[in-house]
Amino acid sequence: MKTFAVLLCLVVAGAAFEETMKTILKSPRSTLQLYKQFKAKEHLKFSSKEDRKRFRQFKKSAKLVADLNEHSNTVKYAVNFFSTMSKAEKAQYTGLNITGHFAHKPKLSAGLQSAPASKLWTEDKAVTKVQNQGGCGSCWSFGAIAGLETRYKVFSGKLRKFAEQEYLDCVYEGTANGCDGGWPDDCYTYSKNKRAGQLSSQVSYPYKETDGTCKFGTNALIAYRISGFTEVGGTEAENIAALAQGSLSVAFEVTDNSQQYSSGIMKDTTCSGSPNHAVAAVGYTPEYVLAKNSWGDAWGEGGFIRFARNHHNCGLFQYSSYPSLTGTGYADTNAEDAAADYTPGDNSSSDTSGGGSSTCVDLAIDCDAWMCEYDSLKSIMQEWCQKTCGYCTDGGSSGECASGTIRCSDGVCRHEHMC
Ligand SMILES: *[C@@H]1O[C@H](CO)[C@@H](O)[C@H](O)[C@H]1NC(C)=O
Ligand SMILES: *[C@@H]1O[C@H](CO)[C@@H](O)[C@H](O)[C@H]1NC(C)=O
């Protein structure tokens, strides 16, 4: 009990948006408890020797997350599936091979098309669902395909889920292992030169997370074919003008910080200058550029990330391109594929309350339902995460639980399998 009293005092003495994580990390015993809880949530199991290494990595990541959250008010970070990984394992989730490629120069002499103040292609149901590339450096294939899908929808009226696996297997067939990295524009060149502008549907050629033998599935580029690609000039204004017309394949540098991104508007200042990851830009507002990542929908904002406007964003505007599409004369009459149902939140990271009773709010910014399953920290969670953990007294037991959790029979909000 003594420990809790000390911890509570530390919390109470802290800043307005105290970090629950920071408080927990002050006690080795509590940190270990949190790690156990984290492993249960992520379904992780390690041998005992391995576990010591993973625990060290977890502590490092949790400390980084706590420090970042303490100094940020536009973005929220969280421990996630990257938090127990080694540097090499984390790098496998990227895969941009930038060798031989250079930052695009401005092309401003060409004149800029006027762009509306905002355009979010997710609102037009023109972005397919988020996927996970897994531990294969195939980001380049995901970036190229997400850069294509919205444009095909704009041109043909149909949202199509194209096959990342065709590019992964075929673009470097016989020359390199696609899971070792690649370049998105090589995909468009491959489609143009080797496939007469065509590309398989994903349903006919599913993603396997490993580079296999090149095959063709059912062509899904029906109304338009790929006739090459256009490099976007390397300024933010040129990227926005191009993004107003459809999605872009974009590159940026992933850092330890950005891998722990959870929500809000990211403004990374820790990159070294060499982009290592490809994604697709799928919208913008005056405040941010919206990108679709390939790390599953448990990462970031349902798999998406928002980058600050008027910021370099670790190279984000310097390597963008989009496929050129040429009409085939055929109409695409097939049913559409499923769209992602993402809508961006507002730009403040402190709003974790998610509606409901106005007097019952979380006081900490990093309340996560999985952290509530933790008897020895109950008093801290009651104080700082009362809404997320379901400790509200003002009729709170009928209030809404945080998304992804339900109210168990004891009145506390948890993930369903933990009731
Ligand atoms: C990266 O690209 C260069 C040039 O295309 C190539 O020589 C190199 O083998 C590639 N690296 C990997 C790991 O595939
Ligand atoms: C978001 O940012 C815009 C412009 O910076 C500002 O006008 C608006 O009030 C912000 N919204 C929130 C909820 O902070």
Side-chain angles (χ1 to χ4, degrees):
M1 271 329 275
K2 210 170 166 191
T3 330
F4 299 145
V6 171
L7 286 176
L8 265 180
C9 287
L10 287 169
V11 173
V12 173
F17 292 119
E18 184 55 65
E19 267 282 302
T20 319
M21 184 74 77
K22 201 138 200 157
T23 310
I24 293 170
L25 288 171
K26 283 170 185 150
S27 150
R29 187 173 143 269
S30 302
T31 308
L32 186 60
Q33 293 275 352
L34 188 76
Y35 174 59
K36 284 186 178 154
Q37 198 59 52
F38 174 79
K39 283 191 294 184
K41 176 196 161 237
E42 296 287 333
H43 309 291
L44 294 171
K45 283 201 172 71
F46 305 116
S47 69
S48 54
K49 186 170 166 234
E50 176 84 359
D51 199 51
R52 279 194 291 278
K53 205 173 79 189
R54 299 288 174 179
F55 181 45
R56 275 199 301 276
Q57 184 56 46
F58 176 78
K59 277 189 289 190
K60 230 171 105 178
S61 304
K63 179 164 188 323
L64 175 71
V65 163
D67 287 344
L68 289 170
N69 279 333
E70 193 175 49
H71 296 111
S72 164
N73 49 24
T74 65
V75 60
K76 187 179 147 187
Y77 301 86
V79 288
N80 58 26
F81 59 90
F82 286 122
S83 302
T84 51
M85 286 188 191
S86 67
K87 226 178 170 46
E89 287 167 334
K90 286 163 77 171
Q92 285 178 336
Y93 280 76
T94 58
L96 188 76
N97 178 357
I98 201 168
T99 310
H101 299 281
F102 302 95
H104 300 171
K105 295 203 163 41
K107 291 186 193 168
L108 284 171
S109 56
L112 273 184
Q113 282 163 294
S114 67
S118 294
K119 181 72 218 178
L120 294 170
W121 291 108
T122 45
E123 290 181 347
D124 292 4
K125 298 263 169 257
V127 179
T128 62
K129 287 186 180 300
V130 169
Q131 294 167 264
N132 196 339
Q133 68 180 83
C136 161
S138 54
C139 69
W140 52 275
S141 172
F142 283 87
I145 286 198
L148 163 69
E149 284 167 346
T150 299
R151 289 200 174 246
Y152 184 76
K153 161 91 184 186
V154 172
F155 278 61
S156 72
K158 295 287 175 143
L159 185 64
R160 288 268 155 269
K161 184 57 240 165
F162 296 104
E164 286 82 9
Q165 191 66 36
E166 180 176 338
Y167 284 157
L168 177 56
D169 286 346
C170 300
V171 173
Y172 303 110
E173 177 78 338
T175 59
N177 180 344
C179 285
D180 287 344
W183 190 256
D185 297 344
D186 291 345
C187 299
Y188 304 139
T189 303
Y190 154 85
S191 274
K192 175 178 178 247
N193 292 346
K194 301 274 173 63
R195 285 279 272 142
Q198 298 193 330
L199 181 60
S200 308
S201 66
Q202 186 182 67
V203 69
S204 70
Y205 202 158
Y207 184 62
K208 295 275 203 294
E209 218 180 298
T210 173
D211 184 350
T213 309
C214 178
K215 304 180 275 292
F216 304 146
T218 309
N219 176 47
L221 274 168
I222 296 177
Y224 287 81
R225 62 184 175 81
I226 295 176
S227 50
F229 65 90
T230 302
E231 286 187 350
V232 178
T235 62
E236 180 171 338
E238 288 166 289
N239 273 255
I240 295 299
L243 196 44
Q245 313 294 317
S247 49
L248 305 179
S249 152
V250 296
F252 73 104
E253 182 181 348
V254 164
T255 63
D256 286 342
N257 292 12
S258 55
Q259 280 185 313
Q260 304 301 150
Y261 168 86
S262 172
S263 65
I265 301 180
M266 182 78 192
K267 211 169 181 174
D268 199 352
T269 54
T270 61
C271 36
S272 67
S274 185
N276 54 10
H277 191 48
V279 296
V282 293
Y284 65 91
T285 72
E287 285 84 44
Y288 60 81
V289 171
L290 178 66
K292 180 194 186 192
N293 204 346
S294 49
W295 293 343
D297 59 10
W299 180 88
E301 295 183 333
F304 291 79
I305 176 170
R306 289 181 285 157
F307 291 104
R309 291 288 302 271
N310 305 307
H311 189 257
H312 59 72
N313 293 309
C314 298
L316 187 70
F317 302 118
Q318 295 191 310
Y319 301 86
S320 310
S321 68
Y322 58 85
S324 314
L325 296 176
T326 303
T328 59
Y330 296 101
D332 188 340
T333 54
N334 297 328
E336 288 200 83
D337 289 314
D341 56 6
Y342 169 81
T343 20
D346 66 25
N347 31 350
S348 94
S349 64
S350 55
D351 176 26
T352 52
S353 59
S357 163
S358 59
T359 53
C360 180
V361 292
D362 291 335
L363 296 180
I365 65 164
D366 62 337
C367 298
D368 256 322
W370 67 275
M371 293 166 78
C372 310
E373 312 305 308
Y374 191 8
D375 272 355
S376 57
L377 268 180
K378 193 170 171 183
S379 49
I380 287 174
M381 300 310 275
Q382 271 176 332
E383 180 85 19
W384 296 98
C385 300
Q386 55 169 337
K387 182 170 178 75
T388 296
C389 296
Y391 292 125
C392 299
T393 48
D394 57 330
S397 62
S398 60
E400 280 184 29
C401 295
S403 91
T405 68
I406 64 159
R407 192 167 297 283
C408 306
S409 54
D410 61 359
V412 176
C413 295
R414 294 194 191 94
H415 290 297
E416 193 168 2
H417 67 99
M418 287 171 162
C419 283

